[in-house]
Amino acid sequence: MPIRNDRTRYGWLSIGLHWLVAATVIGLFALGLWMVDLGYYDPWYRTGPDIHRSIGILLFAVMLVRLLWRWLSPPPASLPTHQRWETLLAHLAHWALYLLLFVAMVSGYLISSADGSSVSVFGGFSVPSLTGHQSGLEDIAGDIHEVAVWSLIVLAGLHALAALKHHFLDRDDTLRRMLGLSPRHPTPSSPGESQ
């Protein structure tokens, strides 16, 4: 499998980035839900948020790489069996997922840095506060973070259901392309193209 996308399938870098981001978002969501109920004396009271913040900062960097790669290696064309409305909804959903991811990550960073402190990433490096101490910013960013994260999870769930619908009901290659699998019904080779 090539590194770059082509007209009919995704390359391994796009596939890897997609599944890395999906797994990370699910993991961060689960960690976030779990850590909000931790008591002050729980040993994970500080460790859980430190891990959550560190992974969030690294995810931000991965998403920048993903957007750059999308520009350098555009995704495959929609399958010819897709209806026009399906293609439009898919494009809107993808860009909404990107937007919600960035809103969630930036608001999460603002929650942690609103008091003027930097955000340590696994103790290896720190991202300084861009706002300095801003009274009330932590609460506003917290509300935005919660709405963005829940919206992201709902939309990602719909995205997954759409992929399963294409795979099991429409029996097309939408999901197979993102899994790196060969098409169910390969398109015939063009004249002069090697078999």
Side-chain angles (χ1 to χ4, degrees):
M1 176 186 312
I3 187 173
R4 295 182 68 87
N5 303 329
D6 62 31
R7 292 283 299 162
T8 60
R9 61 192 302 182
Y10 290 97
W12 65 261
L13 184 56
S14 292
I15 292 171
L17 288 171
H18 175 274
W19 293 111
L20 174 64
V21 169
T24 303
V25 167
I26 291 167
L28 284 173
F29 180 70
L31 178 58
L33 276 182
W34 175 70
M35 70 186 194
V36 295
D37 290 328
L38 294 175
Y40 182 77
Y41 295 105
D42 191 295
W44 281 89
Y45 182 77
R46 284 182 175 57
T47 305
D50 286 345
I51 292 171
H52 191 84
R53 285 188 289 263
S54 294
I55 294 174
I57 295 288
L58 295 176
L59 180 61
F60 185 85
V62 169
M63 282 303 299
L64 292 178
V65 170
R66 188 171 180 187
L67 282 177
L68 175 63
W69 184 246
R70 186 182 174 99
W71 179 69
L72 293 172
S73 183
S78 297
L79 293 172
T81 55
H82 289 175
Q83 299 295 321
R84 183 180 174 94
W85 64 267
E86 289 177 306
T87 301
L88 177 61
L89 277 180
H91 287 301
L92 290 174
H94 279 108
W95 287 111
L97 285 167
Y98 287 151
L99 176 64
L100 288 168
L101 261 168
F102 279 105
V103 169
M105 291 182 293
V106 169
S107 60
Y109 161 77
L110 291 174
I111 293 167
S112 301
S113 62
D115 63 355
S117 61
S118 59
V119 179
S120 174
V121 180
F122 292 116
F125 65 94
S126 293
V127 179
S129 173
L130 297 177
T131 61
H133 179 75
Q134 295 290 326
S135 182
L137 179 59
E138 182 178 357
D139 293 332
I140 295 168
D143 290 342
I144 293 170
H145 189 70
E146 184 176 9
V147 170
V149 167
W150 278 103
S151 300
L152 175 63
I153 291 299
V154 168
L155 186 55
L158 292 173
H159 175 67
L161 287 174
L164 293 173
K165 175 252 186 198
H166 279 288
H167 189 73
F168 291 109
L169 298 180
D170 300 342
R171 300 194 58 76
D172 66 26
D173 292 325
T174 301
L175 181 58
R176 294 180 67 84
R177 294 198 302 184
M178 191 43 79
L179 292 172
L181 301 173
S182 299
R184 283 186 171 134
H185 309 290
T187 54
S189 300
S190 302
E193 192 177 320
S194 59
Q195 298 286 327

